[in-house]
Amino acid sequence: MSATKIGKQREQRTGRKNSTEPPWNVLLHNDWDNSMPRVVLILKKVLPGMTIGRATRIMYEAHSSGRAVVKRCHKELAELYKERLQGEGLTISLEPAE
């Protein structure tokens, strides 16, 4: 079986692309327009698999340091999360992950 065929089968099974694209960080910035509980609920609502505990830690990091990494993923997905989170009223930016 060729490497290309194996790669395509893996993509079909996992739904993930095999890519060398560098990851991007979705950043949450502290703001005074959203309450802490509201930020936690939005993160849980928008991001698949986000738990209340993890959302709380992300919210608190943004609150105390000014920003926090919400998600690290490929650029297209990062842009989608940014759009959805901004649509809920959060202050979000993207940056290439190191």
Side-chain angles (χ1 to χ4, degrees):
M1 187 174 284
S2 72
T4 304
K5 191 170 184 178
I6 292 171
K8 285 182 181 180
Q9 284 181 336
R10 181 174 292 135
E11 182 179 333
Q12 288 172 349
R13 278 186 279 149
T14 64
R16 295 183 184 196
K17 293 181 181 178
N18 291 336
S19 102
T20 58
E21 181 181 323
W24 284 72
N25 289 333
V26 179
L27 300 172
L28 169 67
H29 297 270
N30 188 40
D31 65 45
W32 298 103
D33 297 327
N34 294 289
S35 69
M36 291 179 181
R38 184 171 188 279
V39 171
V40 170
L41 292 175
I42 291 169
L43 292 174
K44 182 158 179 13
K45 173 183 166 184
V46 171
L47 298 163
M50 179 66 66
T51 64
I52 291 287
R54 185 161 176 248
T56 301
R57 287 189 296 276
I58 291 168
M59 173 279 299
Y60 190 74
E61 182 180 341
H63 175 73
S64 48
S65 68
R67 69 184 207 156
V69 175
V70 173
K71 185 81 173 171
R72 179 173 290 164
C73 53
H74 64 85
K75 189 173 183 180
E76 186 178 335
L77 188 56
E79 289 171 346
L80 174 66
Y81 289 144
K82 177 185 175 188
E83 181 180 304
R84 289 181 178 176
L85 291 166
Q86 285 177 332
E88 295 285 342
L90 299 184
T91 306
I92 303 293
S93 67
L94 301 178
E95 71 177 11
E98 296 177 0

